[in-house]
Amino acid sequence: MVKIVVGEEKQLKLAEDRLSQSGLSCEVGLVIGKLSSELDRGFVFDLIQTPRNDAGDPACSLIDTNNQTNKNKKGGSSSKLKQSSDSSPLLSIDADWVSEHARQVSRMLLGGMKVVGIYIWTSESSFKNSTLVLCQTIKGVAEASHLMAADLDENLLIHISYSPRRWTCRNCSVASNITSSSLRPCDFKMGKALASLQTFRCKYTFDMRLPIFHENRSSIKSLAAILRHGIANQVQELKAAKALIDEKLVIDVEQCAPEGLHDVEFLVPFMQNTALEACSQKEVVGVLTFRGSVYSFAYINSKEPVSQVLADIKGDIITSLQSRLDIICDDEDSESDHIAGGGAESRNEISTTKLGPKLDPEFLSQQCSIAFPRRVFVPWLADTYICDYIQPSETLEVLKDHFVELMSREAPTDASKILELETEAPTLVSKSFWDMVISNSSEFKPTLVERDIVNAGTGSIQKSVKTANFNIISAVLTLIVSIFVGLALFFFKGSS
């Protein structure tokens, strides 16, 4: 349970100055930080404003309850709107839009950094009258940013009041239905939350071979579902992996790492090929090969144990794979919507390498190859990075729009500061089952030189066998001759 929250003073003061100069009566946005169960502390690194929705409306506004009540009375409506004693306006929040913002921002955060809640800029009275809508928004953000899937059932609600001016922080459990009573106050103070972070980086290489079963042609699973199942298997593989930090095997996971940049490597145990194992049990119509390398960064507080950073890196690797798949699926959905309104000509323009919603015999017979987005790392606050994903057809120019819209900040203009560690994108290849078997068996065919060596070895063996047979026969003949000679000498002496 988080009892104390430390906010990065420099960033939060900048946010407070911006809000005070904006003239806005209310604003909602995301809290980026880290919740440490080991230290019972929360760390807030930055506040990110939720942009306007597609219609151009702000994500948060105020409802004047006095005007609304007067309209109800004039219309003769029997419904009554609950009012506070001072009739303060109520907050109206587009919770779905804030959750979508949290979903996309979560893709850009690295290990140890998450969307840990929301902030609200409004008066004290409006805040007290709107706890229900704030709780609903918090729960939606937690679900969209996968906090609940990561066994984190806590979220923060930061209130920046301008009347009077002060900061307050509340902790909220999102594991069940939350109400206003679920908000618990916690100590909030300004400090240097970023200065105590340590950096860890990792390169993880994966090679998945996922069988496609033909149990029933009418119920073939979608390609995305097969890949999600394969990614879920990687979770189990990483759990069993041993870790090296700076080329030293991690034995004591409770120890703290020294300061500086650290390299992490996972020693994954040899796993039985699930595709080949499945082929002996079920009928297989194809095989998906998904391979590549994922580069990961993670940040932990200097007082946290090594076990925390290993968990953060493993989570970041899986999240990165899932995010790439989600990006392709999102593009496919928008492409499908465009085709639906474009007629037959648009449908003919679709590339066969697009990620289709379902697998069919044509897809399996074409041996398609799909390049997934590459991950690039962009400088953020202090010495930390955040990431973004670039499609094979895109350039670094797309980062500008992403950062302004999602992170409320400009992307660096100097491309040399952007780390492009993944020079090759992870690739998905689909093959029919027999093509996979033939290609694998061809790898074991002996070359001409190998055949000559084998033939020469076989001739030597045959010569050795012939020599051995000749020696045995010679020994037998010698023994027989010796017996006859001995018998002859025996009879000769006896007769004399």
Side-chain angles (χ1 to χ4, degrees):
M1 180 66 65
V2 173
K3 299 177 181 178
I4 300 175
V5 176
V6 180
E8 178 62 31
E9 185 174 11
K10 179 181 178 181
Q11 293 303 124
L12 298 192
K13 288 296 184 182
L14 288 175
E16 183 179 9
D17 293 340
R18 177 186 63 80
L19 289 168
S20 61
Q21 297 171 10
S22 66
L24 296 173
S25 58
C26 64
E27 181 182 287
V28 67
L30 306 178
V31 177
I32 308 301
K34 179 182 179 66
L35 302 180
S36 174
S37 58
E38 296 285 342
L39 305 178
D40 291 333
R41 286 196 174 195
F43 302 93
V44 175
F45 305 136
D46 200 8
L47 306 181
I48 301 178
Q49 176 188 3
T50 297
R52 292 177 177 266
N53 59 23
D54 294 335
D57 299 325
C60 180
S61 59
L62 291 177
I63 301 176
D64 191 342
T65 57
N66 287 325
N67 293 339
Q68 185 66 38
T69 304
N70 292 334
K71 289 181 181 179
N72 291 338
K73 289 180 178 180
K74 290 179 181 179
S77 173
S78 59
S79 63
K80 294 182 178 180
L81 190 65
K82 184 178 179 180
Q83 300 181 60
S84 63
S85 59
D86 58 355
S87 299
S88 297
L90 297 176
L91 287 170
S92 175
I93 299 178
D94 189 345
D96 292 338
W97 186 248
V98 178
S99 298
E100 176 61 22
H101 184 214
R103 186 180 74 91
Q104 296 195 36
V105 169
S106 296
R107 293 176 180 173
M108 305 177 71
L109 301 178
L110 302 177
M113 292 185 176
K114 297 183 181 298
V115 177
V116 295
I118 64 172
Y119 75 88
I120 187 72
W121 161 265
T122 190
S123 64
E124 190 73 28
S125 56
S126 295
F127 176 82
K128 291 180 179 179
N129 295 337
S130 308
T131 53
L132 181 58
V133 67
L134 289 170
C135 290
Q136 293 173 345
T137 305
I138 291 174
K139 189 173 182 64
V141 166
E143 293 173 348
S145 56
H146 306 292
L147 274 183
M148 299 176 71
D151 297 330
L152 295 175
D153 63 348
E154 295 181 82
N155 242 333
L156 301 180
L157 172 59
I158 294 179
H159 175 216
I160 313 169
S161 173
Y162 54 79
S163 179
R165 176 71 61 84
R166 64 178 179 181
W167 290 67
T168 58
C169 183
R170 289 168 174 81
N171 188 8
C172 178
S173 175
V174 294
S176 58
N177 294 329
I178 58 176
T179 61
S180 57
S181 60
S182 303
L183 298 175
R184 298 176 298 273
C186 53
D187 294 335
F188 182 82
K189 59 182 181 179
M190 301 286 187
K192 295 184 178 180
L194 291 170
S196 61
L197 293 182
Q198 293 178 291
T199 306
F200 294 77
R201 64 186 177 187
C202 174
K203 177 184 177 182
Y204 177 72
T205 302
F206 64 94
D207 188 350
M208 307 182 201
R209 296 193 179 187
L210 310 173
I212 305 169
F213 303 121
H214 184 142
E215 295 176 339
N216 187 347
R217 178 66 68 177
S218 62
S219 63
I220 295 180
K221 294 181 179 180
S222 67
L223 177 57
I226 295 174
L227 286 176
R228 292 189 199 282
H229 178 70
I231 294 173
N233 289 337
Q234 292 295 116
V235 176
Q236 302 302 321
E237 186 171 294
L238 280 170
K239 283 184 178 179
K242 299 295 183 181
L244 296 176
I245 296 182
D246 298 332
E247 299 183 350
K248 296 180 180 179
L249 183 65
V250 176
I251 300 176
D252 184 7
V253 294
E254 299 303 321
Q255 67 180 357
C256 296
E259 296 182 358
L261 176 64
H262 303 284
D263 291 311
V264 178
E265 182 180 357
F266 290 112
L267 303 178
V268 180
F270 177 76
M271 302 284 289
Q272 198 171 14
N273 194 318
T274 56
L276 297 179
E277 181 182 1
C279 294
S280 62
Q281 300 174 359
K282 301 178 181 180
E283 183 180 358
V284 176
V285 295
V287 177
L288 295 177
T289 302
F290 186 32
R291 58 166 62 103
S293 296
V294 175
Y295 283 82
S296 171
F297 280 83
Y299 303 95
I300 65 168
N301 187 274
S302 57
K303 296 181 180 180
E304 291 184 282
V306 170
S307 59
Q308 184 60 54
V309 74
L310 296 181
D312 289 341
I313 289 182
K314 292 176 182 180
D316 182 68
I317 291 170
I318 299 302
T319 300
S320 178
L321 292 175
Q322 292 173 339
S323 297
R324 298 171 208 242
L325 180 56
D326 290 341
I327 290 171
I328 288 186
C329 290
D330 290 346
D331 292 345
E332 183 68 21
D333 291 340
S334 60
E335 186 80 25
S336 300
D337 294 340
H338 174 71
I339 295 169
E345 293 182 359
S346 297
R347 281 190 287 271
N348 292 334
E349 295 175 358
I350 290 300
S351 170
T352 56
T353 59
K354 284 286 186 180
L355 186 70
K358 285 189 177 182
L359 289 173
D360 53 26
E362 294 181 0
F363 184 87
L364 294 175
S365 63
Q366 292 177 358
Q367 296 190 10
C368 297
S369 177
I370 302 173
F372 274 56
R374 290 186 302 115
R375 193 182 203 184
V376 296
F377 301 92
V378 184
W380 190 42
L381 304 176
D383 295 326
T384 64
Y385 285 85
I386 55 178
C387 74
D388 204 352
Y389 296 91
I390 298 180
Q391 297 278 24
S393 59
E394 296 176 336
T395 64
L396 294 177
E397 292 296 322
V398 300
L399 298 179
K400 296 181 180 180
D401 295 335
H402 291 178
F403 271 68
V404 172
E405 181 179 4
L406 298 177
M407 303 299 293
S408 299
R409 63 186 298 116
E410 297 288 339
T413 56
D414 187 359
S416 63
K417 295 182 179 180
I418 299 175
L419 301 182
E420 295 186 76
L421 300 179
E422 295 182 3
T423 56
E424 295 184 2
T427 305
L428 174 71
V429 178
S430 94
K431 291 185 179 181
S432 68
F433 173 70
W434 290 112
D435 288 336
M436 179 66 72
V437 172
I438 293 173
S439 62
N440 287 341
S441 61
S442 63
E443 296 177 0
F444 297 99
K445 290 182 179 179
T447 61
L448 291 175
V449 176
E450 289 171 340
R451 285 200 296 267
D452 291 341
I453 294 173
V454 171
N455 292 336
T458 305
S460 300
I461 292 173
Q462 291 175 350
K463 292 179 181 178
S464 299
V465 172
K466 291 180 179 179
T467 303
N469 291 337
F470 176 76
N471 292 336
I472 293 173
I473 295 173
S474 300
V476 172
L477 291 176
T478 303
L479 178 61
I480 294 173
V481 171
S482 299
I483 291 173
F484 278 111
V485 170
L487 290 174
L489 292 175
F490 176 75
F491 285 114
F492 176 74
K493 290 181 178 180
S495 59
S496 61

